[in-house]
Amino acid sequence: MAAPPDNDVLWARALHVKHNGSPALTGVSLGVREGEILAVGGPRGSGKTTLLQCLSGQLLAEQGEVWFNSAPVHTMSPAKRERLRRDRFGWIDPVPVLVPELTAWENAALLLMLRGVSRRRAKTAALEWLDRLDVGGCARKRPYALRRSEAQRVAIARALAPAPSVIFADEPTAPLHRADRAQVLRTLTAAARSHGITVVLATHDTDTAALADRTVSLLDGRRVHTVHLPPVAEPPPGPAAPAGPAETEGRAACSLSA
């Protein structure tokens, strides 16, 4: 088992994953440099989410290695991987998963408070990020009162507020219209660069991938040199759809542990 290159904060070698017997990743290897914004491109079903789950320790590959800062994630215990996701990683879902009983600022501050940061300090950090994402005026609203674009910005603020080492963003602007998508992505990438945060961004949108420093393309679970991506359809307008109890509990737990 060879250690990864010193300049890679994340490194994966020969990852193989199957879902229900079908290959999801087949021999995928890559390295991500510290502070880099890496886009993982490819059409839907190409293995992008599975790769992000492996890199973040949410999913163990059946074969292959994943390293973070020269530590082997693939040999860590479940408890240690959970601490890694909580303390060093951030995760942004395609659809915002917010705790319905909490206000927007409380949702944005939640990871900080779970780490033991005082409520006052956590609130200050959360409000700062909500302002930077142009949803400071929604700070006291609960998720049911937020538009879909506002709810996604709150979820992005929650990922940024603890200043993680790496943010995994799985189609983070999928529910947004094009104008909102561009503004949110500019804020996310600018914040990452100014704070030295590494970003691994899964997307099937060429405009989104263009904001990254580098793009790795997947097709049918394999790395390829070029993928021609279709245009992104605009999402219908409307409020954020509330998640059902089971979905909220399961997906929020995944997001919060990240």
Side-chain angles (χ1 to χ4, degrees):
M1 183 169 64
D6 291 337
N7 60 340
D8 283 346
V9 66
L10 279 169
W11 187 70
R13 180 167 61 184
L15 297 180
H16 290 261
V17 178
K18 290 183 179 181
H19 291 319
N20 299 321
S22 299
L25 294 178
T26 305
V28 173
S29 300
L30 61 82
V32 188
R33 295 183 294 273
E34 186 173 3
E36 181 179 27
I37 298 176
L38 176 71
V40 180
R44 288 186 173 93
S46 59
K48 302 186 301 295
T49 298
T50 301
L51 178 58
L52 264 62
Q53 289 173 338
C54 289
L55 294 174
S56 63
Q58 294 184 44
L59 176 67
L60 286 180
E62 293 151 24
Q63 298 178 44
E65 305 172 13
V66 174
W67 297 72
F68 169 69
N69 279 343
S70 299
V73 178
H74 55 287
T75 62
M76 291 179 181
S77 67
K80 193 169 182 179
R81 290 201 313 276
E82 183 177 349
R83 286 195 300 271
L84 178 67
R85 294 195 301 271
R86 182 190 64 211
D87 296 339
R88 306 299 298 276
F89 295 163
W91 183 276
I92 303 171
D93 277 306
V95 177
V97 181
L98 303 178
V99 180
E101 296 82 7
L102 301 182
T103 63
W105 82 257
E106 288 170 332
N107 269 285
L110 189 55
L111 291 178
L112 284 168
M113 290 190 285
L114 289 175
R115 292 183 184 182
V117 175
S118 70
R119 184 177 176 88
R120 176 178 294 182
R121 287 180 56 201
K123 183 176 183 179
T124 298
L127 291 176
E128 177 185 343
W129 281 111
L130 291 175
D131 283 337
R132 291 183 67 172
L133 288 158
D134 291 335
V135 283
C138 301
R140 296 189 177 278
K141 292 183 179 179
R142 299 191 188 278
Y144 73 86
L146 299 174
R147 296 196 306 271
R148 183 172 3 199
S149 62
E150 293 169 340
Q152 186 69 336
R153 291 169 195 249
V154 173
I156 293 171
R158 181 177 61 195
L160 286 164
S165 299
V166 184
I167 285 181
F168 298 93
D170 185 12
E171 301 280 5
T173 58
L176 307 182
H177 289 282
R178 187 166 296 277
D180 286 332
R181 190 181 303 147
Q183 193 274 337
V184 167
L185 282 170
R186 282 195 297 268
T187 301
L188 173 60
T189 54
R193 295 187 196 284
S194 64
H195 288 71
I197 300 172
T198 303
V199 177
V200 184
L201 171 67
T203 183
H204 64 279
D205 176 25
T206 52
D207 291 338
T208 299
L211 293 173
D213 300 315
R214 183 166 57 98
T215 299
V216 168
S217 298
L218 298 182
L219 185 64
D220 296 331
R222 297 178 182 271
R223 278 195 65 172
V224 295
H225 291 297
T226 304
V227 174
H228 297 288
L229 301 177
V232 178
E234 291 295 318
E247 182 184 0
T248 300
E249 180 180 355
R251 296 191 68 191
C254 174
S255 295
L256 298 182
S257 66

